Amino acid sequence: MDFTFVSGDPALDLTGTVLSRRNEPVDLLTTPADLERWVVACDGLPDRVTADARTFESALSLREALYRLALDRVLDRPFDPGSLDIVNGAAAVPPCAIELSDAGLRTSGDLPAALSQLARSAITLLADPHACLKECGRPGCTRVYLDRSRGARRAWCGMEECGNRVKAAAYRARRRGAV
């Protein structure tokens, strides 16, 4: 399965690896190999990491903590203390190393460093009072995204997946009403 990176921040994209959290969640990270593929596909993270059972569980724990904190921010409620501990603990690990060369930017590090980088990204985002976080407006989608649109009018996590579905459903409803 391909991963979707539409949330506007890598930490939020990690939380989006669980689809439709309300009804029957679909977890895209079921094995350490899935996590390794996600890290490689995510911009700004190392192009090669190895996940063992312990680091895989740490990543899933971080993902869920990030989701709870992002949802706390969307719903304008106090942050969950346990989630804060998990994210702050992950951020305390040294992050990935970066190098600049004629070929561009290269990021290197192990999985704990990549998780640290994600946690730091989330901390920066969640601490920003001007960051506009929203939950996708398509029923069934629970992805939280950063709305950088003009006037903060974006309604869906991504047009390709959710926006098109909502618009197609509205079109079909209008057609049924016109008949």
Side-chain angles (χ1 to χ4, degrees), residues 73-153:
R73 174 74 189 280
V74 167
L75 299 174
D76 196 28
R77 62 187 184 201
F79 288 133
D80 173 67
S83 297
L84 284 174
D85 289 343
I86 292 169
V87 172
N88 288 331
V93 174
C96 297
I98 58 173
E99 295 176 11
L100 177 64
S101 71
D102 290 333
L105 178 70
R106 181 178 177 276
T107 306
S108 61
D110 57 6
L111 185 55
L115 297 178
S116 176
Q117 190 160 322
L118 291 167
R120 289 166 182 245
S121 177
I123 289 170
T124 301
L125 177 64
L126 294 171
D128 181 354
H130 303 293
C132 182
L133 295 180
K134 294 181 178 178
E135 188 175 36
C136 184
R138 180 177 68 85
C141 183
T142 55
R143 186 184 306 262
V144 176
Y145 64 92
L146 176 60
D147 184 357
R148 292 185 177 122
S149 67
R150 184 180 209 169
R153 294 179 186 218

Side-chain angles (χ1 to χ4, degrees), residues 7-51:
S7 299
D9 186 273
L12 295 177
D13 285 325
L14 178 62
T15 69
T17 59
V18 175
L19 308 176
S20 188
R21 289 172 181 267
R22 286 189 199 104
N23 300 327
E24 293 182 33
V26 175
D27 194 340
L28 302 180
L29 303 180
T30 58
T31 67
D34 294 335
L35 176 62
E36 291 169 358
R37 286 186 314 102
W38 184 87
V39 169
V40 169
C42 185
D43 285 340
L45 294 180
D47 57 6
R48 185 175 302 133
V49 294
T50 302

